[in-house]
């Protein structure tokens, strides 16, 4: 019989977010009267904005006409959209042929691992978005878990003590480095100096950075880079993954992109872009034409105005949550809130608690769902991630309940 891919056998636990959903379902079944509010999974909640929605409606209607019908598009993405992303988001930093359109950042992060194979060494921030490690386990690059983590993964603790920026000296030469800024789950946006250290390290040690910038639109501090390509030398070592999900509420619509500069080479001199183009044309058949029309609308003047207002709405939610979590009820119990104002996530330390224990307590006492920090890696123990994605009335009610929590 055919052998199972041992990568799946090496996975040590269920994926974090389905486990959160499972516990919520079980609690709801036991307490059907409870009105549960989610501040957990980073799923957007507000309606698509009018201009962007109308662009997709018009395109969809056009498919019902001889003149407007479109079949297969280029697997790499709509040419106009690729050009618009390069022009608006990477002026002078990337060209249209280095931009590849996809069905979302998570999908790109999973597919991109096919470029590097099972012998590639991996380094990830700890805590980190689970797909970096889980995807590496499935492809065989991470190896087996010996109880202290996967053998093929170098974990880079990002803690209160180091300002949530890792010690890069732990990374070996020729390593694939997964790096997220603004970070999921800590919410920290790395500074220009920190990213320069990262880029210089990668170039000096033959590493390639997979730079997850899915939350760039939440950055309001103008001194913080919104793309890795603002950093000199990044075109030689960094692939950027990005998304319309949080920018425009496309979590269910599905549209993202990657930037693979022509300057990045494999050890044998082959451009990485060449193989990524092969992945895009062989393992993918292009994002929906309708959705790409929405992506184009996001990047015109009216669309950019709408997306900024949408993100500002969520940032106001975060400020309300920050005020509550820094209130006397929490401060008196040595709860520490880490939030910079440049992310949709608040990273909150409950000293003396296990993450799943405080998750269960808040679910039981407040009927509020969070995300346990330990699910993002060992350095996340004792933390919860609070997400600002929610209707304002729900966020206000959740804050009211949290302000009365006894623990």
């Amino acid at each position: 019989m055919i052998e199972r891919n041992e990568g799946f056998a090496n996975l040590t636990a269920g994926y974090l977010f389905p486990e959160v959903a499972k516990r919520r379902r079980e609690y709801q079944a036991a307490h059907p009267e409870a009105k549960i509010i989610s501040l957990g999974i980073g799923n957007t909640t507000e309606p698509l904005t009018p201009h962007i929605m109308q662009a997709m409606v018009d395109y969809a209607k056009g498919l019902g006409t001889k003149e407007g019908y479109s079949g297969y598009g280029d697997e790499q993405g709509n040419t106009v959209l690729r050009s618009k992303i390069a022009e608006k988001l990477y002026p002078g930093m990337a060209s249209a042929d280095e931009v590849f359109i996809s069905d979302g950042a998570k999908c790109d992060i999973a597919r991109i691992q096919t470029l590097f194979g099972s012998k590639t060494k991996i380094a990830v921030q700890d805590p980190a978005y689970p797909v970096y490690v889980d995807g590496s386990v499935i492809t065989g690059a991470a190896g087996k878990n010996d109880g202290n983590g996967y053998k093929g993964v170098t974990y880079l603790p990002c803690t209160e003590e180091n300002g949530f920026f890792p010690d890069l000296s732990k990374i070996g030469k020729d390593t694939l480095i997964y790096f997220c800024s603004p970070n999921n789950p800590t919410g920290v946006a790395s500074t220009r100096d920190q990213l320069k250290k990262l880029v210089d390290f990668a170039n000096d040690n033959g590493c390639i950075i997979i730079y997850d910038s899915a939350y760039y639109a939440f950055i309001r501090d103008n001194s913080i880079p919104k793309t890795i390509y603002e950093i000199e030398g990044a075109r030689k070592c960094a692939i950027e993954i990005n998304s319309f999900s949080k920018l425009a509420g496309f979590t269910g619509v599905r549209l993202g992109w990657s930037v693979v500069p022509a300057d990045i080479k494999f050890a044998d001199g082959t451009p990485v872009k060449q193989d990524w183009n092969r992945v895009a044309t062989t393992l993918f058949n292009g994002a929906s034409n309708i959705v790409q029309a929405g992506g184009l609308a996001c990047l015109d003047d009216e669309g950019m105005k709408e997306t900024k207002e949408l993100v500002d709405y969520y940032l106001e939610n975060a400020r309300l949550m920050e005020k509550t979590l820094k209130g006397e009820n929490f401060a008196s119990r040595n709860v520490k809130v880490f939030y910079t104002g440049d992310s949709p996530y608040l990273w909150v330390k409950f000293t003396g608690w296990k993450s799943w224990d405080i998750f269960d307590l808040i679910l039981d006492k407040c009927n509020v769902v969070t995300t346990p920090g330990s699910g993002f890696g060992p350095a996340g123990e004792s933390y919860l991630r609070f997400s600002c994605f929610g209707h304002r009335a729900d966020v206000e009610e959740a804050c009211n309940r949290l302000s009365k929590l006894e623990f």
Side-chain angles (χ1 to χ4, degrees):
M1 297 181 68
I2 295 174
E3 296 288 337
R4 181 190 185 195
N5 175 356
E6 68 176 11
F8 285 96
N10 288 338
L11 289 169
T12 56
Y15 193 60
L16 170 62
F17 301 113
E19 177 62 24
V20 170
K22 173 177 173 287
R23 294 199 183 200
R24 172 179 176 162
R25 287 193 305 271
E26 289 174 347
Y27 185 86
Q28 188 75 79
H31 304 85
E33 76 291 348
K35 183 192 175 186
I36 296 176
I37 298 173
S38 178
L39 302 179
I41 296 174
N43 192 5
T44 52
T45 55
E46 299 311 297
L48 297 178
T49 58
H51 175 71
I52 296 167
M53 176 195 67
Q54 192 60 51
M56 289 188 279
V57 169
D58 290 345
Y59 193 95
K61 286 181 177 178
L63 292 174
T65 68
K66 184 179 294 186
E67 298 77 19
Y69 176 75
S70 61
Y72 289 128
D74 293 336
E75 292 93 341
Q76 303 93 330
N78 179 300
T79 301
V80 180
L81 178 56
R82 297 173 77 191
S83 296
K84 187 65 71 174
I85 289 173
E87 172 195 343
K88 293 280 190 176
L89 305 181
Y90 305 96
M93 294 178 276
S95 59
D97 68 331
E98 295 171 326
V99 176
F100 295 79
I101 309 301
S102 73
D103 52 346
K106 183 176 181 180
C107 304
D108 265 347
I109 289 167
R111 276 191 291 266
I112 209 161
Q113 298 189 25
T114 62
L115 290 178
F116 302 103
S118 62
K119 296 180 181 179
T120 305
K121 292 178 291 186
I122 306 295
V124 298
Q125 292 162 290
D126 173 20
Y129 185 44
V131 73
Y132 307 149
V133 172
D134 286 4
S136 300
V137 175
I138 291 170
T139 62
K144 293 185 177 181
N145 193 315
D146 62 3
N148 296 307
Y150 291 97
K151 293 181 179 178
V153 177
T154 298
Y155 294 88
L156 307 171
C158 296
T159 65
E160 178 184 358
E161 290 71 28
N162 62 21
F164 301 101
F165 186 82
D167 177 3
L168 301 178
S169 67
K170 295 181 62 177
I171 305 171
K173 290 183 178 294
D174 309 322
T175 294
L176 191 65
I177 305 169
Y178 287 92
F179 198 91
C180 181
S181 178
N183 183 266
N184 178 13
T186 68
V188 173
S190 296
T191 66
R192 191 171 299 276
D193 287 345
Q194 288 172 333
L195 292 179
K196 186 67 167 68
K197 290 178 183 177
L198 175 66
V199 167
D200 288 348
F201 180 90
N203 281 324
D204 290 345
N205 291 278
C207 300
I208 291 178
I209 303 163
I210 306 299
Y211 188 78
D212 183 349
S213 189
Y215 301 98
Y216 83 96
F218 286 78
I219 296 174
R220 292 294 181 265
D221 182 342
N222 291 329
S223 70
I224 300 292
K226 290 191 173 183
T227 167
I228 191 68
Y229 302 119
E230 292 182 36
I231 307 302
E232 182 182 0
R235 282 185 51 85
K236 295 181 180 179
C237 65
I239 295 170
E240 183 163 301
I241 307 293
N242 219 315
S243 172
F244 287 92
S245 286
K246 307 308 190 294
L247 167 68
F250 276 27
T251 50
V253 177
R254 307 307 304 153
L255 189 66
W257 71 91
S258 59
V259 181
V260 185
D263 302 10
I264 306 177
K265 305 286 201 306
F266 289 112
D268 66 357
T270 302
V272 173
K273 177 189 163 191
Q274 174 181 309
D275 285 2
W276 185 233
N277 185 70
R278 183 62 184 267
V279 170
T281 56
T282 305
L283 304 183
F284 185 54
N285 214 38
S288 159
N289 294 339
I290 298 171
V291 174
Q292 292 189 77
L296 273 168
C298 290
L299 297 174
D300 64 25
D301 289 345
E302 182 62 25
M304 294 183 80
K305 176 176 178 290
E306 287 185 348
T307 57
K308 181 180 183 302
E309 291 172 349
L310 181 64
V311 171
D312 283 345
Y313 177 94
Y314 291 126
L315 285 171
E316 179 59 25
N317 283 349
R319 283 187 281 272
L320 293 172
M321 292 158 54
E322 179 186 25
K323 182 179 179 181
T324 298
L325 293 166
K326 286 185 174 179
E328 178 60 27
N329 184 47
F330 289 92
S332 64
R333 291 167 173 80
N334 200 23
V335 174
K336 295 183 179 181
V337 180
F338 299 93
Y339 184 63
T340 64
D342 296 304
S343 165
Y345 300 124
L346 293 87
W347 191 233
V348 184
K349 184 176 183 179
F350 291 80
T351 305
W353 285 83
K354 295 288 189 181
S355 294
W356 280 107
D357 290 344
I358 191 65
F359 168 91
D360 285 335
L361 179 75
I362 290 176
L363 176 58
D364 182 46
K365 300 296 185 182
C366 300
N367 296 160
V368 170
V369 174
T370 59
T371 309
S374 59
F376 296 99
E381 187 61 88
S382 296
Y383 287 86
L384 292 179
R385 189 193 74 176
F386 287 77
S387 167
C388 73
F389 296 112
H391 301 308
R392 181 64 48 75
D394 288 340
V395 170
E396 290 174 341
E397 173 59 23
C399 288
N400 180 55
R401 296 178 191 177
L402 288 165
S403 69
K404 301 173 183 175
L405 176 65
E406 296 182 3
F407 62 104

